[in-house]
Amino acid sequence: MKKIATREGYGKALAKLGAEYENMVVLDADLSKSTRSYEFCKHYPERFFNMGIAEQNLMGVAAGLAATGKIVFASTFAIFATGRAFEQIRNSIAYPRLNVKIAASHAGLTVGADGASHQALVDMSIMRSLPNMTVIAPADVVEAEKAVSAVAEYEGPVYLRLGRAAVPVIYDENHKFQIGKASQLREGHEATIIACGIMVPESLQAAAELAEEGIIVRVINMATLKPLDQEMVLRAAKETGAIVTAEEHSIIGGLGSAVAEVLVENYPVPMERVGVKDVFGESGEPEQLLKKYGLTVQEIKEAVYRVLPRK
Amino acid sequence: MSKGHAAPVLYAALAERGFFPREELLNIRKINCPLQGHPDMQKVPGVDMSTGSLGQGISTAVGMALAGKLDRKAYRVFALLGDGEIEEGQVWEAAMAAAHYQLDNLIAFIDYNGLQIDGPVTEVMSPEPIEDKFWAFGWHVERINGHSFREIATAVEVAKKVKDQPVIIIADTIKGKGISFMENQVGWHGNAPSREQAAKALAELA
C-alpha cells in the first residue's frame, strides 16, 4: 500500500486554497519545511509570515490577523502548539472564538528519533477540553487534504492534527470528509473498532485478520474528535455491543475518553482502549515505537479478544 | 488593551463614546453583565480583542498591524501595556516580530507606574533599562509624562512620522494620581474603594 505523511496533504491543500481564499494567511514558527506550510510560502510569499521560534507570539499574531477577517493557519509541531502555547490558544483564540486553524504536525509517537520531548501524546486531550475548539485527526493524506479545505470553509478555531511519518493511503479522491461526521470503513456485528489518525489503517488490518478467524468487526474512522459523531458511536454500541478504540495518543483524554464519555452516559457497553498507556515515549524508528508502546494490529486484535467475552 | 485588568477605564471610555449605555457600567464584574473583569470582544461592542492574560494583547496587536500592512490599509493599531506586564516573555517575542516586520503602524504604550501586585516593579523584577531594551529590539522609543494629554498627543504625532519601526511610548505615571490616600500605594492595585472612599476621592479630583 502506498504510504504518504498526512502533512503532505496539508501542504498540498494550502498551495491550492491560497488561490481560492485571498484572505488566507499562513504562519509558522521556524518549522515551515517540516510542517509543509512552506508549500503556501512558495506560492503566496506575501501572505506567509515566519514568526521565528516563538510559539506564544505565533498564536497571538494569528489571533490578531483573524480579528481583522483573515483565515489564519498557524503551524508548528503539535507538542509546542498545544503545550507551550496552550494558554495563548485558550485566551487569544478559543475564548474570543477567532478563525484560527492550528495545523500541528509531528504529532504522536511517529515523530520518531526526536524522542519524548517532541512526541505530543496528549495534544488532542488538551485541545478537546477547550470550549469553541474543533479537533480533527485525519487518517491519511487524502483525508488530510480534504480536512484542510473543510476547516478553511468553517468559521472558528480548529485543531488539525498531522503526522510526520509516511502512513498508508486508505482513501481515494471520492472520499467525502465532513467535520463532525465519522466514516464507517468496514461492516461488522460482533464489535466495533473506532480509530483515528494512523491507527485507522492498523484497525482495518486487524479487522481483516479477525475476519479470517471468524470474528466480524466493524471499523469506524472517527476523524473528528470534537464535535464527536455521537450517533455513529451509539449505533455501533447498539448494533455490535462492544467497542475498542485505537489512537496514537495517550489513553487519557483523547479518542478513547471521548467515546467512553458518550457510552457511559447513553448506552454503556464493554469497551477497551488501545493507546499510549500514560507514559512518555522515547527515541526510535516509528515502527519500533509503535510496537514497543502497543499501537499495533496485534494490540488491537487482543483488545477485541478481551472485549468480546465481556459482552 | 493588553493590560486587560484596566478594563474599567476602557469600559468608561467606550460608554462615553456611546458603545453601550452608561448605566451598564454599574454592573461591571457582576453575573450576566457583558462587562467582564477583563475585556471580552464577543460580549462588549468596541472591544477589539479579548485580553486579561498578560503579554497576549501585544501579540494580537502585531497580528492586526501585520494585516494592515498586508491589506495596505491606513489604520494604526494601539496597544496599552502595563510595566509589570513586560516581564512576560511573550512581550519580547512580539517586540522582536513587530520590528522584524517593520510595523510602523503599531504604537504601543507602557503605563509605567512602577507598581505591580507584589510591590515596586524594580523590586519584583526590574524592567530597567527599559528604554535601552526597546531600542535594542528595534523599536523607536518615546518617553513622556503619562499624565500630560499634551505630551501624549505630541508623542503620538511623533510616532506617526516614524518609518519602518514600531513605536513604544513609555508613559511615566503615578498610580492613583490626584487622590491623596491612593497615590503610589501598591495596595490599591486591584481594589475598589468603599462608598466613603469614593466620595473622598471624587472630591479631591474635582
Side-chain angles (χ1 to χ4, degrees):
Chain A
M1 194 181 274
K2 199 163 72 170
K3 285 187 166 190
I4 307 175
T6 51
R7 60 181 165 146
E8 305 294 351
Y10 174 55
K12 198 172 157 198
L14 287 184
K16 192 181 73 186
L17 292 171
E20 206 171 307
Y21 298 100
E22 283 183 9
N23 62 333
M24 182 170 156
V25 296
V26 178
L27 311 180
D28 206 300
D30 195 41
L31 291 167
S32 64
K33 303 229 171 59
S34 299
T35 63
R36 298 295 191 259
S37 69
Y38 187 69
E39 294 301 314
F40 185 86
C41 180
K42 275 200 289 199
H43 294 88
Y44 321 96
E46 71 289 348
R47 285 189 272 149
F48 177 86
F49 300 100
N50 204 323
M51 287 296 123
I53 309 169
E55 295 79 13
Q56 301 173 33
N57 189 50
L58 166 78
M59 296 305 171
V61 172
L65 281 159
T68 70
K70 304 289 181 202
I71 301 170
V72 187
F73 281 81
S75 283
T76 180
F77 286 0
I79 191 80
F80 309 130
T82 64
R84 194 181 200 105
F86 167 73
E87 204 231 323
Q88 282 73 19
I89 292 175
R90 180 193 186 274
N91 277 325
S92 290
I93 295 173
Y95 175 44
R97 204 178 185 281
L98 289 168
N99 200 17
V100 177
K101 322 300 173 188
I102 300 147
S105 76
H106 292 57
L109 282 175
T110 49
V111 173
D114 276 349
S117 62
H118 283 55
Q119 290 160 349
L121 297 176
V122 294
D123 55 317
M124 295 195 289
S125 172
I126 293 168
M127 288 296 110
R128 201 169 70 84
S129 68
L130 287 176
N132 293 339
M133 187 62 76
T134 292
V135 179
I136 299 170
D140 75 350
V141 65
V142 175
E143 187 165 68
E145 190 181 340
K146 288 176 185 290
V148 176
S149 296
V151 304
E153 203 180 322
Y154 166 81
E155 173 94 23
V158 174
Y159 177 68
L160 183 65
R161 185 186 215 230
L162 303 162
R164 169 182 180 269
V167 290
V169 181
I170 59 165
Y171 287 114
D172 62 27
E173 286 304 321
N174 297 320
H175 174 50
K176 298 260 185 296
F177 174 82
Q178 209 183 330
I179 297 172
K181 290 278 174 240
S183 52
Q184 185 176 313
L185 298 173
R186 190 182 173 108
E187 180 55 305
H189 58 275
E190 293 185 60
T192 301
I193 306 169
I194 302 177
C196 67
I198 66 164
M199 295 308 282
V200 174
E202 303 290 304
S203 300
L204 284 170
Q205 180 62 29
E209 291 181 17
L210 287 166
E212 285 172 18
E213 298 166 21
I215 303 169
I216 311 301
V217 301
R218 185 178 293 186
V219 177
I220 289 170
N221 169 22
M222 191 64 70
T224 310
L225 268 81
K226 187 186 174 186
L228 195 79
D229 190 341
Q230 299 202 13
E231 197 190 319
M232 186 77 102
V233 172
L234 291 174
R235 199 185 321 135
K238 286 170 189 167
E239 292 175 5
T240 72
I243 306 277
V244 168
T245 57
E247 59 196 308
E248 188 199 5
H249 185 273
S250 170
I251 54 167
I252 297 176
L255 177 66
S257 296
V259 169
E261 287 159 16
V262 172
L263 291 179
V264 292
E265 284 188 343
N266 297 283
Y267 196 86
V269 294
M271 180 182 164
E272 294 282 336
R273 292 171 296 161
V274 174
V276 178
K277 292 169 184 65
D278 194 23
V279 290
F280 291 106
E282 65 181 82
S283 293
E285 289 302 316
E287 287 303 323
Q288 296 172 317
L289 290 163
L290 293 174
K291 186 155 186 256
K292 180 163 179 178
Y293 291 88
L295 304 178
T296 58
V297 170
Q298 189 56 34
E299 207 60 50
I300 296 168
K301 283 166 67 180
E302 277 166 23
V304 172
Y305 298 145
R306 283 197 305 274
V307 84
L308 287 177
R310 294 174 53 207
K311 277 172 82 170
Chain B
M1 181 63 78
S2 200
K3 52 173 291 187
H5 52 286
V9 75
L10 174 64
Y11 296 154
L14 289 173
E16 284 296 322
R17 291 298 297 268
F19 280 90
F20 49 84
R22 290 179 61 175
E23 300 74 60
E24 194 75 280
L25 292 172
L26 297 174
N27 295 321
I28 181 173
R29 284 176 168 262
K30 288 183 187 159
I31 190 93
N32 297 327
C33 174
L35 304 180
Q36 299 296 296
H38 297 85
D40 180 342
M41 67 186 287
Q42 297 291 359
K43 291 199 170 92
V44 184
V47 170
D48 293 324
M49 180 54 64
S50 301
T51 53
S53 176
L54 294 175
Q56 299 196 21
I58 184 65
S59 286
T60 61
V62 169
M64 292 173 183
L66 210 48
K69 287 281 178 192
L70 187 59
D71 297 339
R72 296 191 173 78
K73 287 189 177 164
Y75 68 75
R76 283 173 211 284
V77 182
F78 291 87
L80 176 61
L81 288 85
D83 48 5
E85 178 177 9
I86 67 170
E87 290 160 13
E88 290 282 5
Q90 186 179 354
V91 170
W92 301 99
E93 293 183 1
M96 214 183 291
H100 180 80
Y101 286 106
Q102 302 182 330
L103 301 178
D104 53 19
N105 54 348
L106 173 63
I107 300 174
F109 283 86
I110 290 180
D111 178 13
Y112 200 170
N113 58 39
L115 295 178
Q116 59 189 115
I117 296 177
D118 273 356
V121 291
T122 48
E123 283 178 24
V124 176
M125 185 53 66
S126 176
E128 294 297 342
I130 189 169
E131 291 179 37
D132 292 352
K133 283 197 176 83
F134 278 98
W135 282 119
F137 271 74
W139 288 54
H140 177 91
V141 182
E142 290 288 317
R143 184 107 190 204
I144 60 165
N145 168 7
H147 295 292
S148 162
F149 284 99
R150 188 182 51 77
E151 285 193 36
I152 294 169
T154 305
V156 169
E157 285 314 308
V158 171
K160 285 179 178 174
K161 292 191 181 70
V162 172
K163 289 276 167 261
D164 302 331
Q165 276 183 305
V167 177
I168 188 90
I169 300 172
I170 300 168
D172 289 306
T173 57
I174 296 166
K175 196 189 277 286
K177 184 170 169 59
I179 300 164
S180 57
F181 59 95
M182 283 187 183
E183 270 195 17
N184 264 328
Q185 296 299 310
V186 74
W188 283 101
H189 181 88
N191 291 344
S194 65
R195 248 171 219 290
E196 296 71 38
Q197 286 169 325
K200 188 161 183 280
L202 287 170
E204 286 187 25
L205 287 173

